[in-house]
Amino acid sequence: MRVGLFIPCYVDQFYPKVAIATLELLEKLGVEVVYPLNQTCCGQPMANSGFQSLSKGCSDLFIKNFNEFDYIVSPSGSCVLYLREHLSETGHHHPDYLGSRVYELSSFLTDVLQVKNLTGSFPHKVGMHQSCHGQRGLHLSSMSELVAPVFSKPGKLLNMIKDIELIALSRVDECCGFGGTFCVTEEAVSVKMGKDRVADHLLQGAEYITGVDMSCLMHMEGILKRQGSKVKIIHIAEILNGDTGEGNN
Amino acid sequence: MTEDIVNQPGKVSLRGAGARDKILAAVAQNQPPQTELPDIGIFRTGAPGSVEQFVQVLTNIGAKAIQVKSWNEIASFITGNYGTARVVTPIAELANFKNIPENSTPHDLYDVELAVVKAHFGVAENGAVWVTEDNMGLRVLPFIAQHLAVVIDSGEIVPTMAEAYDRISRLPAYGFAVFIAGPSKTADIEQSLVIGAHGPRSATVFIIDQRAR
Amino acid sequence: MKVTTKEHAELAGDFNGDEDRVNWHDETLWWVRQKRDKVVHQLPEWEELRNAASAIKDNVLGNLHGYLQQFEAKAQANGITVHWAANAAEHNQIVHRLLNEHQVTRMVKSKSMLTEECGLNEYLHEHGIEVIDSDLGERIVQLAKEPPSHIVLPCIHKKKEEIGELFHQYLGTPLDVSDPQVLTEAARGHLREIFITRKAALTGVNFAVAETGEFVVCTNEGNADMGAHLADIHIASMGIEKLIPEKKHLGIFLRLLTRSATGQPITTYSSHFKTPRKGQAMHIILVDNGRTIQLGREDFRNSLKCIRCGACMNTCPVYRRSGGHSYHNAVAGPIGSILAPNLDMEKYKDLPFASTLCGSCSNVCPVKIDIHDQLYKWRQVLVKKGLAPTGKIVGMKIMGAALSWPAIYRIAGKVGRWTLKHAPFAVNNSFNPWYKQREMPVPPGESFGEWYKKNRTP
């Protein structure tokens, strides 16, 4: 099994440690992982702003970089959802097939690798943020609106980590307000949503906020830092890779 | 407005006829291919309606459920609680109370304190009772009265709205009918529930034991 | 109502000027969402009911031409006069003409979002007709000279103290009384007088049954019935999409509507109007006003399945924190944002962007409208129509180009990180909306690409 690693542009530039953790975790689990060097972005920033036509260059590049792999794995529910839903709309042959081979990291671990145990330890109180695209789009977890059985793929993995204490939130799956360009075009509402989401985690005594999407976490991190909070954000890949939570900024 | 058709000889001279044709033509042109209707028979529970559930839900929605064995019990409840206030009921079994006077207008009912009407059946899942025009006397009666009482037979409780419409299909036709679930209410001010908006301030449902009849 | 040229972001920004009020608004509506959750989780068949409702509405859209004519014929046979209005102006003119014919100058009206959409009250007012809204929430916003901010809870944006002031001014309640019980009692007395004296009543329509020609109106207050049963003339206004095929289908929709809307198992009154009362005139106005255009838009026609429960508003994290008026349209929130551009793309071009596309709206929708997908699709349509701001077009073109060329992307990334590290003032300033209330991420020394080249490539 050859896996292509797709790293979202802003993770590549601002959170390389998340990409490193993803790579190392997959390697530890015995997967042959390759990171094609000429990758950039999934194209979602343009498309979600109404400029899907301008994301064709990104789609071309993505297909060129990743067509040869059995699976493509990415530590982002949002980018993966975009690729799965819209890669086919950019005019390429068999793009659906490629789209269906793209996996968000936690679901790749639970559904493809069927990971049963992990070795890490993370002795902290952790709040799990349900990023909407991963949750409602990729169905990584059950959704509070639906009358359906409760499950969580990221939650299942986190529970394999020793000493971790996952806290319960009062609103289990409310959006954080990042929303791509929404975070700047609707600055006031975006920030208010982020503040409220962060407040819920703080109220329940979280030391860390984790999730499957660095974009949501980056938004909440910006708010936490502005508030002078000591609560940190950490991508799920870092916890699953055995990061102990020390040395994070 | 498309007045052209109105003035054409031989056409029905109705204003708005142009709009009708225009709308229907646009609908015909733009509607998608037709799809099948789903089988909604799957929602029938097959079980009888539960009186206990009905009573519980009525209580939850701010109504009062009273299980009685006879019409006499209902009559004495009314007398005991409403005394000399204006009570109106079209129910033959409660002939001791006044019916709506003949030739009354709806407006003549403005001072009714209590209206008592029969319902055909109740719905366990939501506490609603089905009241048709022939049981109201005047349509406005169950709405304009300060208080409402409804009488249903304990054997006439269906579990859900799926069975309710089955039941309605076997009843005689009506010009007006209504599901009433509890007293008139509003939560428009800060979501604070207030009972007694424009209609009755209270709703009492007498569930009369069918074996006693 | 008030003419506004402000867009959603700016209006929402104004609303957020008072954070306590935003918190209160958010929590009040979240409470309604929780009530909805509680009651739907009592029905194991909930998702099946949604599937059925969605399928029934699909069937309606696919045979609307037939159902409309069937309904018209049945309603006429029942003694109801049926009118057709191609647009808002025609609708308003028909109402006005009917009132003139009955020599009526004062009308009582129960809740009808369609008449809000058509601007009926303003139109009639200009023609010397007085309209009193009888739904408590609508009466309150009418007194305040504001449009409703929510389709089910019209004055959800108003605090009880503000309502107390209005009632003191207009209904003569004592100063500083704000107890909802007392205020509701005052409105009851005031509106009873209206009901008793008005000879014409207008109601909305929740469902119209093609099979039987009857229509169903749902209220909790009983105001639609008080108006209709006391009036000599009853006018019911409905959008053409309100049809359902058969009466038994009400058994699906009435189970879904109020559970989704307020968390009640059913409204207090679900009134089935089939024939006029003896001596009464009953009219139905079937209104298009853009609906047939929406029907022809494959990506957006599903929005016509809407039964106006408002669940998408209550669950929407953006709506709860921006207020209904920020959508500057009769129907606010997620559903309003996919309906409004159909009426006027230029005027409502901002609304499809007033969302994070979180998807909660689609999950609560009782008829399974793909609301958040339609928001995404409207964005594409609006940009193609050239309705995006110039600055955004330029920015997006540069971004799209840079991300298409790995070499340019790598240089841009490096420059960006260098700037953040060595000249943060270039980014962390008032021109950067991110920085206004959030810190920028701390730039790392190297990108993952650079790290990978050093550590993994042979």
Side-chain angles (χ1 to χ4, degrees):
Chain A
M1 183 199 295
R2 284 187 81 233
V3 166
L5 179 62
F6 177 68
I7 297 301
C9 46
Y10 66 95
V11 172
D12 175 41
Q13 294 297 328
F14 292 117
Y15 298 97
K17 61 185 176 140
V18 173
I20 295 167
T22 306
L23 176 71
E24 288 179 352
L25 175 62
L26 289 168
E27 286 173 344
K28 270 191 248 175
L29 292 166
V31 179
E32 185 194 346
V33 193
V34 176
Y35 173 79
L37 286 166
N38 275 337
Q39 59 181 283
T40 61
C41 169
C42 62
Q44 183 175 209
M46 285 78 74
N48 270 11
S49 303
F51 295 83
Q52 194 176 308
S53 56
L54 294 178
S55 66
K56 190 172 178 301
C58 288
S59 302
D60 290 345
L61 203 57
F62 184 86
I63 291 163
K64 205 165 123 191
N65 280 320
F66 289 101
N67 209 15
E68 59 164 309
F69 292 100
D70 300 316
Y71 293 98
I72 300 99
V73 175
S74 179
S76 163
S78 189
C79 302
V80 169
L81 178 68
Y82 176 76
L83 290 164
R84 283 198 170 194
E85 287 192 338
H86 299 292
L87 204 55
S88 63
E89 291 159 16
T90 49
H92 289 275
H93 300 297
H94 314 298
D96 277 331
Y97 179 53
L98 179 59
S100 67
R101 280 182 280 151
V102 186
Y103 273 81
E104 178 280 329
L105 174 67
S106 68
S107 58
F108 183 72
L109 298 188
T110 56
D111 300 358
V112 179
L113 297 184
Q114 303 193 0
V115 167
K116 294 284 184 291
N117 50 65
L118 289 163
T119 52
S121 159
F122 197 78
H124 302 284
K125 290 179 96 170
V126 177
M128 168 79 201
H129 174 67
Q130 301 287 351
S131 290
C132 305
H133 288 175
Q135 188 207 19
R136 298 195 182 84
L138 296 174
H139 300 175
L140 299 182
S141 314
S142 51
M143 298 158 251
S144 64
E145 301 92 0
L146 302 182
V147 179
V150 173
F151 71 94
S152 168
K153 292 175 187 181
K156 189 173 156 188
L157 293 167
L158 287 171
N159 278 320
M160 295 175 192
I161 299 296
K162 233 176 86 187
D163 300 327
I164 195 167
E165 186 185 341
L166 289 175
I167 57 163
L169 296 168
S170 68
R171 299 187 189 181
V172 294
D173 52 8
E174 177 136 300
C175 176
C176 69
F178 172 69
T181 49
F182 180 89
C183 75
V184 288
T185 56
E186 287 267 5
E187 186 267 342
V189 178
S190 171
V191 168
K192 180 59 183 150
M193 287 168 70
K195 280 162 76 175
D196 289 354
R197 204 78 300 274
V198 163
D200 196 356
H201 287 271
L202 297 184
L203 191 71
Q204 314 299 332
E207 298 165 59
Y208 285 86
I209 301 175
T210 192
V212 301
D213 256 303
M214 212 52 220
S215 49
C216 308
L217 296 177
M218 174 172 73
H219 166 65
M220 289 192 279
E221 180 185 47
I223 288 165
L224 283 166
K225 282 190 176 167
R226 181 62 61 91
Q227 290 175 344
S229 171
K230 289 193 165 51
V231 172
K232 295 166 191 163
I233 59 112
I234 185 166
H235 191 275
I236 189 171
E238 298 174 84
I239 299 179
L240 300 182
N241 188 43
D243 189 315
T244 55
E246 306 307 318
N248 271 289
N249 52 18
Chain B
M1 294 284 273
T2 42
E3 296 292 337
D4 49 343
I5 290 173
V6 177
N7 298 324
Q8 281 172 23
K11 293 270 178 186
V12 181
S13 178
L14 287 174
R15 266 173 292 184
R20 178 186 188 275
D21 295 347
K22 204 162 99 184
I23 293 168
L24 284 174
V27 169
Q29 193 186 330
N30 290 341
Q31 70 185 14
Q34 199 178 336
T35 52
E36 290 291 307
L37 280 169
D39 171 19
I40 62 168
I42 57 165
F43 296 109
R44 290 192 198 106
T45 60
S50 149
V51 176
E52 289 71 30
Q53 187 190 4
F54 182 63
V55 169
Q56 182 60 53
V57 175
L58 276 173
T59 310
N60 293 346
I61 61 176
K64 191 183 217 175
I66 301 175
Q67 290 172 269
V68 295
K69 296 227 164 5
S70 68
W71 287 99
N72 281 343
E73 272 186 64
I74 298 173
S76 50
F77 178 92
I78 295 169
T79 313
N81 285 276
Y82 292 90
T84 57
R86 186 175 178 196
V87 176
V88 165
T89 177
I91 298 176
E93 289 89 340
L94 295 172
N96 286 348
F97 302 93
K98 288 199 175 82
N99 197 343
I100 299 171
E102 276 196 39
N103 301 321
S104 289
T105 67
H107 297 75
D108 294 334
L109 301 176
Y110 75 96
D111 61 348
V112 170
E113 187 66 13
L114 174 73
V116 192
V117 297
K118 268 189 188 174
H120 292 277
F121 62 89
V123 186
E125 70 161 330
N126 56 26
V129 294
W130 179 247
V131 184
T132 51
E133 185 171 19
D134 53 330
N135 285 339
M136 297 173 192
L138 285 172
R139 289 182 185 184
V140 81
L141 181 65
F143 305 96
I144 200 168
Q146 294 291 333
H147 299 272
L148 175 68
V150 179
V151 186
I152 70 161
D153 189 308
S154 66
E156 297 289 356
I157 291 170
V158 300
T160 75
M161 293 299 280
E163 293 85 357
Y165 280 96
D166 284 347
R167 187 84 178 72
I168 289 169
S169 71
R170 295 194 298 273
L171 291 171
Y174 53 81
F176 172 78
V178 58
F179 278 110
I180 300 176
S184 160
K185 59 179 86 70
T186 183
D188 274 350
I189 302 176
E190 288 198 4
Q191 278 295 293
S192 297
L193 180 67
V194 177
I195 303 286
H198 303 302
R201 302 167 187 276
S202 74
T204 306
V205 178
F206 293 106
I207 305 164
I208 192 161
D209 192 330
Q210 57 176 344
R211 289 162 301 183
R213 301 184 63 200
Chain C
M1 295 291 152
K2 277 179 214 157
V3 179
T4 173
T5 50
K6 285 189 180 181
E7 296 202 340
H8 181 273
E10 194 182 353
L11 292 164
D14 295 347
F15 188 73
N16 274 268
D18 182 350
E19 189 166 0
D20 287 342
R21 181 178 281 266
V22 177
N23 290 338
W24 165 79
H25 191 261
D26 166 61
E27 278 155 23
T28 308
L29 286 155
W30 180 253
W31 187 61
V32 183
R33 157 77 205 272
Q34 285 178 303
K35 287 198 293 179
R36 174 253 174 220
D37 287 356
K38 197 177 159 199
V39 70
V40 307
H41 279 94
Q42 289 165 3
L43 288 192
E45 67 269 44
W46 182 253
E47 302 301 335
E48 283 303 315
L49 283 168
R50 291 176 70 221
N51 288 335
S54 174
I56 294 167
K57 283 284 186 179
D58 279 336
N59 171 274
V60 169
L61 296 184
N63 190 26
L64 192 55
H65 188 255
Y67 288 139
L68 278 166
Q69 292 178 87
Q70 187 187 4
F71 176 75
E72 179 192 39
K74 291 284 178 184
Q76 282 170 344
N78 293 337
I80 303 174
T81 310
V82 179
H83 308 260
W84 300 72
N87 51 45
E90 287 189 11
H91 167 263
N92 295 346
Q93 286 159 14
I94 290 168
V95 175
H96 188 204
R97 176 167 57 77
L98 291 172
L99 296 176
N100 276 346
E101 282 170 11
H102 286 77
Q103 290 154 355
V104 171
T105 56
R106 300 187 304 170
M107 181 172 81
V108 64
K109 185 177 123 229
S110 71
K111 193 140 86 217
S112 152
M113 288 317 298
L114 177 61
T115 60
E116 292 290 336
E117 177 187 318
C118 292
L120 177 70
N121 285 17
E122 294 82 351
Y123 176 87
L124 291 178
H125 181 73
E126 283 163 19
H127 289 80
I129 308 248
E130 178 215 70
V131 181
I132 303 264
D133 283 315
S134 60
D135 173 82
L136 176 60
E138 290 220 306
R139 185 67 185 132
I140 290 165
V141 291
Q142 189 179 34
L143 290 175
K145 299 183 176 60
E146 291 173 8
S149 67
H150 187 292
I151 59 174
V152 174
L153 319 162
C155 69
I156 196 69
H157 61 290
K158 282 207 131 26
K159 295 202 175 184
K160 58 179 192 252
E161 290 79 13
E162 296 164 328
I163 297 165
E165 276 175 42
L166 277 173
F167 277 29
H168 173 66
Q169 190 183 341
Y170 291 101
L171 306 184
T173 51
L175 195 63
D176 297 328
V177 166
S178 62
D179 176 9
Q181 184 85 43
V182 178
L183 295 177
T184 302
E185 185 63 29
R188 178 186 172 95
H190 157 65
L191 285 161
R192 282 218 150 209
E193 177 60 28
I194 302 292
F195 290 128
I196 292 285
T197 52
R198 297 313 187 254
K199 296 197 181 316
L202 189 145
T203 69
V205 169
N206 289 91
F207 305 98
V209 184
E211 173 195 29
T212 60
E214 73 197 283
F215 60 94
V216 176
V217 182
C218 304
T219 75
N220 277 319
E221 299 180 6
N223 56 314
D225 289 282
M226 285 292 274
H229 303 317
L230 287 164
D232 298 337
I233 167 173
H234 175 186
I235 304 169
S237 294
M238 61 176 270
I240 53 172
E241 82 283 17
K242 291 283 177 190
L243 282 172
I244 58 169
E246 297 170 49
K247 185 148 72 179
K248 69 179 181 194
H249 295 133
L250 290 166
I252 301 291
F253 290 104
L254 292 183
R255 295 186 81 186
L256 288 164
L257 177 64
T258 323
R259 284 183 173 95
S260 298
T262 60
Q264 295 170 259
I266 191 168
T267 44
T268 303
Y269 305 106
S270 308
S271 297
H272 297 49
F273 293 88
K274 193 169 175 189
T275 67
R277 186 178 82 239
K278 203 178 162 208
Q280 184 196 37
M282 193 180 277
H283 297 266
I284 289 176
I285 310 175
L286 296 166
V287 183
D288 180 350
N289 205 35
R291 285 160 177 78
T292 52
I293 298 171
Q294 190 88 319
L295 188 65
R297 299 186 202 273
E298 194 181 342
D299 285 342
F300 304 115
R301 65 165 60 107
N302 269 348
S303 61
L304 296 171
K305 291 154 80 170
C306 177
I307 58 172
R308 301 292 191 270
C309 70
C312 62
M313 302 180 177
N314 304 337
T315 201
C316 179
V318 176
Y319 174 87
R320 279 188 263 111
R321 292 177 185 80
S322 56
H325 290 157
S326 67
Y327 294 81
H328 56 91
N329 180 46
V331 182
I335 184 67
S337 300
I338 59 172
L339 290 172
N342 178 59
L343 292 172
D344 188 339
M345 281 192 217
E346 169 71 35
K347 189 174 172 192
Y348 301 114
K349 61 181 188 289
D350 54 322
L351 296 186
F353 294 91
S355 164
T356 60
L357 307 181
C358 80
S360 187
C361 47
S362 304
N363 276 352
V364 296
C365 179
V367 289
K368 300 189 84 164
I369 301 169
D370 51 341
I371 303 175
H372 73 293
D373 288 333
Q374 290 195 32
L375 288 167
Y376 176 88
K377 287 172 181 167
W378 268 119
R379 294 178 184 188
Q380 311 305 322
V381 170
L382 293 166
V383 167
K384 272 203 192 97
K385 292 264 178 196
L387 291 168
T390 316
K392 200 172 182 182
I393 297 173
V394 173
M396 284 295 156
K397 279 191 173 157
I398 293 170
M399 196 170 171
L403 291 170
S404 304
W405 298 95
I408 298 175
Y409 160 75
R410 284 193 288 263
I411 292 166
K414 217 170 187 140
V415 171
R417 277 182 285 122
W418 187 91
T419 310
L420 253 181
K421 189 161 251 170
H422 301 286
F425 51 84
V427 178
N428 295 342
N429 57 48
S430 58
F431 295 107
N432 176 2
W434 176 281
Y435 184 69
K436 204 173 148 199
Q437 301 184 70
R438 284 165 293 210
E439 295 297 324
M440 293 291 286
V442 176
E446 59 186 1
S447 71
F448 174 69
E450 289 161 356
W451 178 92
Y452 187 85
K453 247 191 262 180
K454 281 189 213 156
N455 292 280
R456 286 296 187 276
T457 37

